[in-house]
Amino acid sequence: MIITIGGLAGTGTSTAAQKLSQQLNIPYISAGDVFRQMAVEHNMTLLEFSEFAEGNDEIDKALDKRQAKIANEAEDLIVEGRISAFFVNADYKFWLMAPDNTRAERISYREDKSIETVQHEIKERTASEKKRYMEIHEIDIDDLSQYDLIINTKTFDAESTANIILNCIK
C-alpha cells in the first residue's frame, strides 16, 4: 500500500506520517527532510535554499524523481511531501491543512522563533513554493482535486490525524 500525505508547512504532515508509519508498521519518506538536507549540503537556511531553488529547476526535479523512484520500488510506503501526490502512484492521497495562525504557532514552537518571524517566513515560503510548482511542473498547489481526503488539522493532534487516515483506509 502506497500512501501520500501532503500539506503546507506547519499542518502536521511529518508528524502524522510518523504516527501512521508506526500504526501500520510501514516505512515513510519525507520530501521536507530531503529538501532540508539539500539546504544543509548547500550551506543555506531553508528560506535561502527555497529562494535558490526558485532559480534552479533541477533541485525540484531531483527531489521529485528521488521520491517517485523510492515509492515505485516499494511495496508499502508512506510518502510525505507537498506535491508527492502528483508524482507518486499511490493507493491513497491525503492533504492536511490548517489556518495560517495555527501553522505559525506550530512552526514557532518547533523552531523556537517568534510568531511574527514565522508568519513572515511562511508567507514568503508558501509564495515561493507556489511559484516553483507552477513554473516547473504546472501544478496549482491550491487545486485539491488530486486528494482522496482533506483534513483540517487545527483541532487534531498528530495521533488523531493518523487515526482519521487509518479509519479512511480501513
Side-chain angles (χ1 to χ4, degrees):
M1 174 171 45
I2 306 296
I3 300 167
T4 65
I5 300 176
L8 299 176
T11 59
T13 57
S14 297
T15 312
Q18 291 170 1
K19 296 286 185 188
L20 190 62
S21 173
Q22 292 167 354
Q23 290 176 345
L24 293 173
N25 196 30
I26 63 174
Y28 80 96
I29 60 170
S30 166
D33 290 343
V34 174
F35 194 81
R36 282 187 277 279
Q37 181 182 12
M38 292 169 75
V40 170
E41 290 168 3
H42 285 82
N43 294 319
M44 295 181 184
T45 67
L46 188 57
L47 185 57
E48 289 169 340
F49 191 66
S50 185
E51 290 171 355
F52 171 70
E54 274 187 38
N56 189 344
D57 296 355
E58 295 309 310
I59 291 172
D60 284 285
K61 290 176 183 177
L63 178 63
D64 300 332
K65 283 181 186 177
R66 218 183 281 184
Q67 271 195 314
K69 183 178 186 290
I70 292 168
N72 288 337
E73 295 172 352
E75 192 169 313
D76 295 311
L77 185 66
I78 299 167
V79 182
E80 182 271 324
R82 305 251 196 296
I83 57 174
S84 300
F86 291 88
F87 299 102
V88 174
N89 185 17
D91 299 294
Y92 300 99
K93 298 177 180 186
F94 299 94
W95 180 260
L96 307 185
M97 59 174 289
D100 288 348
N101 63 329
T102 301
R103 295 171 52 221
E105 289 171 10
R106 291 173 179 172
I107 295 169
S108 171
Y109 176 77
R110 177 179 73 209
E111 297 181 5
D112 194 28
K113 295 180 179 178
S114 73
I115 295 281
E116 295 78 20
T117 298
V118 173
Q119 287 172 328
H120 175 74
E121 288 178 355
I122 64 173
K123 184 178 179 181
E124 283 189 13
R125 183 175 172 190
T126 301
S128 171
E129 289 172 347
K130 283 182 179 188
K131 180 180 177 183
R132 281 199 338 268
Y133 301 152
M134 184 55 74
E135 289 177 355
I136 297 168
H137 305 292
E138 295 183 6
I139 291 173
D140 177 1
I141 193 77
D142 295 323
D143 176 6
L144 305 180
S145 63
Q146 182 80 6
Y147 300 95
D148 298 304
L149 184 66
I150 300 159
I151 304 168
N152 183 339
T153 63
K154 177 184 178 187
T155 58
F156 299 116
D157 62 13
E159 191 78 33
S160 298
T161 302
N163 286 334
I164 291 168
I165 293 170
L166 188 60
N167 285 330
C168 181
I169 292 168
K170 288 180 179 178

